[in-house]
Amino acid sequence: MNNTESKKKVIVVGGGIAGLSAGIYALKAGFEAEIYEKNPVAGGECMGWNRQGYHIDNCIHWLTGTDSKTKLWEVWKTCGAIDENTEYANTSKFYSSRLGDKEVSLWNDLEKTQKELIEAAPEDEKEIRKFIQHVEYAKSCVIPSDKPMDMMGVKDYIEMGKDMADMPKVMKEYGKINCAQLTDRFQSPVMKKLMTDYLPADYTAYSLIVSYATMASGNGNIPLKGSLAMTLRIVKRFKEMGGVLHTNTPTKRVIIEGKKATGIELEDGTIVKADDVITAVDTRFLYGRLIDEKYMPKDLRKAYADSKAYPVTSGFQTAFAIDSDFSGEDTIFFECDPIKIGDRTFTRMSVKSYAYDKSFAPEGKTVLQANVVQTDADYLYWESLSKDEYKAKKDELSAEITKRIVKEFPELEGRITLLDCWTPLTYNRYCNAYHGSYMGFVTTVGNKQMRFKGVVKGVNNLFIAGQWVMSPGGLPIAVVSGKFAVQRILKRDRRSIEI
Ligand SMILES: Cc1cc2nc3c(=O)[nH]c(=O)nc-3n(C[C@H](O)[C@H](O)[C@H](O)COP(=O)(O)OP(=O)(O)OC[C@H]3O[C@@H](n4cnc5c(N)ncnc54)[C@H](O)[C@@H]3O)c2cc1C
């Protein structure tokens, strides 16, 4: 690298995990890096907040890449998120499903799970064994973290193929059906629930298998102290490396002159010049707000126009203070009296106990969160409400949900206090998240998995990071996309992409 290159300035718009990663890798590559984030705290959806002496952790249910033998772990480590000394929550299962007097669980221990599931549903033994066997195969699934796939050569593909040798079996058996269709393979009603409780029914079945395999293989642990603490560690790393983070500083647009992005204009009118710009915001917000919609790739345009084939998921969530040590119920789904939100009625919901992290609540007390999964249509319902209607609906639902939790767990009577509730709109307001989405597009059967190069056609110094560049999104895609954006700059400059 020569001196001129080292003085180049990279501006990153958006300080979520993707933006922070882009900033860190830009510094690592020898650039100056500044991140512009609209919120008072960086982190975007990898967030947590305090209420009445309790901490509400609102992201990491599992962090893919906690196995130090994986390349993704190296990326997290470079970003300061985790290292050899990181302590993880001592959780033992993915989740449980209850139906009537039956309860089944997906334990991290696959043998234990298989034994229990067969005991609970002997009529499904063959299908249970097949399911568990394929979870075992799916433990080999890795997220490419070295370089963008379009920069991979034959040797890289051969190596990836070797690493993921068993994944074709998973795709063959579960790649062409969704979770709803997976339930047809089981006779036991509680097994059917287990297959559709966690991921929405239109998710491909292999997504469930891979998610469970990540937990079961020890590559999806939860760092203690949660999401916000992890974000703050990444921010610290960025600043220690010399990066500049501007919070409370929303960007209005990326300035494009001819074929060049010359910088950004902030909401207050300030112009900031840059040599290269990386955007790390939601792509629905990017195209049409930060840059002209004409730059949107065709596939992405198609996806936004067809929310049936390319749905997203969000949630109506509530957090409670529990006046007891409510452990043992990590995540559990159960039947509930019907709850109506807009046109849709729900008869199942879940609670998750955060008893596994003592730092979230005063001694002897626990945080419990409940979630009702929300879709694109639900988002539009929330959006259609007036301010007063919105508040009234939130209050009404929170009270209804509290009642249902107490009905399912009578021991909580008189011991449960609402701390906060939030909707898909909250994620849009806070992060500009499309339809309040947690992740990228849901991978449904038959839809083309969304993946696009993080470049802007016709503008050779504007790059895109963020979870939307590759389905299904999530933290691992966000963190590698930041690295990949910097590698695209290096490749354009004919420098080594090894960073
Ligand atoms: C409830 C919940 C649970 C989740 N659980 C998990 C999990 O267990 N495991 C997992 O892997 N993933 C999980 N995710 C997903 C994960 O949080 C996201 O995939 C990831 O945080 C996305 O990162 P990002 O940087 O791509 O986007 P974002 O987090 O959306 O970051 C974008 C950033 O850009 C900022 N921004 C937007 N507009 C502007 C502007 N005009 N100017 C300046 N800044 C702007 C936003 O404020 C935000 O900080 C969960 C998400 C949610 C909501």
Side-chain angles (χ1 to χ4, degrees):
M1 189 196 328
N2 64 42
N3 284 340
T4 323
E5 280 168 338
S6 72
K7 285 190 192 128
K8 269 188 168 182
K9 177 164 157 186
V10 175
I11 278 185
V12 181
V13 182
I17 295 303
L20 290 166
S21 161
I24 287 168
Y25 278 97
L27 293 166
K28 217 169 169 256
F31 301 120
E32 277 180 33
E34 282 189 28
I35 298 176
Y36 288 82
E37 164 57 45
K38 79 176 183 64
N39 289 330
V41 187
E45 292 194 342
C46 189
M47 199 30 65
W49 59 94
N50 298 331
R51 288 285 180 278
Q52 300 173 41
Y54 292 81
H55 183 72
I56 299 172
D57 185 12
N58 198 232
C59 184
I60 305 175
H61 296 73
W62 75 89
L63 182 71
T64 305
T66 55
D67 178 350
S68 61
K69 292 189 287 304
T70 63
K71 289 181 176 159
L72 182 55
W73 184 85
E74 292 289 341
V75 176
W76 285 123
K77 188 178 175 206
T78 299
C79 290
I82 51 178
D83 63 22
E84 295 82 355
N85 301 315
T86 302
E87 290 186 278
Y88 297 104
N90 188 18
T91 49
S92 55
K93 67 181 172 188
F94 187 15
Y95 64 94
S96 304
S97 293
R98 258 185 205 177
L99 187 68
D101 58 357
K102 286 212 164 164
E103 181 174 322
V104 287
S105 301
L106 296 180
W107 301 99
N108 292 346
D109 178 340
L110 292 184
E111 256 181 55
K112 175 176 170 172
T113 307
Q114 178 165 289
K115 188 166 169 283
E116 278 191 14
L117 294 184
I118 292 172
E119 268 164 29
E123 65 274 38
D124 290 320
E125 176 167 353
K126 197 169 150 221
E127 209 50 52
I128 291 167
R129 287 189 186 280
K130 192 203 288 175
F131 178 80
I132 296 293
Q133 177 63 68
H134 284 78
V135 175
E136 191 64 55
Y137 291 149
K139 284 183 179 174
S140 69
C141 186
V142 291
I143 291 174
S145 311
D146 245 4
K147 56 183 96 156
M149 286 180 79
D150 53 279
M151 289 188 198
M152 281 169 52
V154 178
K155 212 171 126 221
D156 299 313
Y157 275 103
I158 292 173
E159 232 171 71
M160 193 167 87
K162 264 199 250 157
D163 287 347
M164 298 213 266
D166 284 330
M167 266 314 281
K169 296 179 199 158
V170 179
M171 297 310 287
K172 186 164 175 241
E173 189 61 40
Y174 296 100
K176 292 199 174 72
I177 57 167
N178 62 30
C179 293
Q181 291 160 330
L182 178 60
T183 66
D184 295 339
R185 297 186 178 184
F186 295 89
Q187 295 173 47
S188 149
V190 74
M191 281 303 299
K192 286 177 187 283
K193 292 296 177 200
L194 187 70
M195 296 299 136
T196 41
D197 269 344
Y198 203 92
L199 296 185
D202 46 11
Y203 256 78
T204 49
Y206 84 82
S207 304
L208 176 68
I209 306 243
V210 170
S211 305
Y212 180 26
T214 306
M215 306 282 277
S217 64
N219 190 29
N221 291 328
I222 305 173
L224 281 180
K225 300 211 168 84
S227 310
L228 176 60
M230 185 176 93
T231 287
L232 295 180
R233 287 195 295 274
I234 302 176
V235 169
K236 185 164 174 262
R237 170 66 51 90
F238 173 66
K239 287 184 176 171
E240 278 171 359
M241 289 173 74
V244 181
L245 170 65
H246 304 266
T247 50
N248 284 318
T249 314
T251 299
K252 188 170 171 192
R253 67 183 179 111
V254 176
I255 304 165
I256 299 175
E257 291 170 13
K259 292 185 172 189
K260 195 167 181 324
T262 54
I264 58 172
E265 181 183 350
L266 304 178
E267 278 294 348
D268 69 3
T270 309
I271 307 281
V272 189
K273 295 270 179 207
D275 294 297
D276 288 302
V277 178
I278 297 175
T279 65
V281 300
D282 185 288
T283 44
R284 184 56 276 198
F285 183 81
L286 168 67
Y287 299 105
R289 294 291 294 276
L290 291 187
I291 61 174
D292 197 307
E293 196 159 337
K294 72 178 183 195
Y295 292 111
M296 187 187 284
K298 229 167 51 204
D299 284 352
L300 198 56
R301 196 181 293 272
K302 245 171 73 185
Y304 286 126
D306 186 357
S307 63
K308 214 168 157 24
Y310 290 89
V312 300
T313 349
S314 188
F316 176 76
Q317 296 188 67
T318 33
F320 301 91
I322 302 294
D323 187 10
S324 76
D325 182 7
F326 193 60
S327 50
E329 308 297 351
D330 289 357
T331 298
I332 181 157
F333 291 80
F334 53 89
E335 293 286 292
C336 62
D337 294 336
I339 308 178
K340 199 164 176 332
I341 305 183
D343 290 338
R344 298 204 309 135
T345 301
F346 302 84
T347 54
R348 275 186 89 70
M349 58 176 280
S350 68
V351 292
K352 174 171 161 68
S353 164
Y354 286 79
Y356 63 74
D357 197 320
K358 299 290 170 220
S359 71
F360 292 168
E363 207 180 328
K365 301 179 195 288
T366 314
V367 176
L368 186 77
Q369 290 190 35
N371 187 26
V372 178
V373 174
Q374 299 277 272
T375 62
D376 296 275
D378 300 324
Y379 177 85
L380 297 178
Y381 160 75
W382 286 106
E383 202 182 38
S384 74
L385 301 179
S386 69
K387 211 171 163 192
D388 289 346
E389 287 168 338
Y390 177 73
K391 183 173 180 324
K393 187 67 189 175
K394 270 174 52 173
D395 291 347
E396 175 205 319
L397 272 177
S398 303
E400 290 298 318
I401 281 167
T402 313
K403 271 196 236 159
R404 283 156 184 77
I405 295 174
V406 173
K407 188 171 176 191
E408 189 67 22
F409 304 96
E411 68 272 30
L412 295 185
E413 180 79 60
R415 291 172 165 260
I416 178 166
T417 311
L418 182 71
L419 291 172
D420 204 356
C421 74
W422 58 103
T423 77
L425 249 51
T426 313
Y427 295 105
N428 184 264
R429 178 182 52 77
Y430 189 70
C431 290
N432 284 327
Y434 169 67
H435 287 182
S437 183
Y438 294 172
M439 309 254 294
F441 293 109
V442 169
T443 312
T444 59
V445 175
N447 82 6
K448 195 170 144 204
Q449 203 177 18
M450 185 56 61
R451 184 187 310 150
F452 63 96
K453 275 192 190 176
V455 294
V456 176
K457 216 169 163 192
V459 186
N460 75 0
N461 67 333
L462 176 56
F463 301 88
I464 299 169
Q467 61 166 337
W468 292 89
V469 299
M470 197 164 114
S471 283
L475 292 164
I477 301 300
V479 79
V480 297
S481 74
K483 174 183 175 182
F484 291 173
V486 174
Q487 286 173 310
R488 291 188 191 284
I489 298 178
L490 295 174
K491 183 155 187 220
R492 182 208 55 197
D493 292 350
R494 299 177 199 279
R495 287 180 48 192
S496 161
I497 61 161
E498 298 301 322
I499 39 175

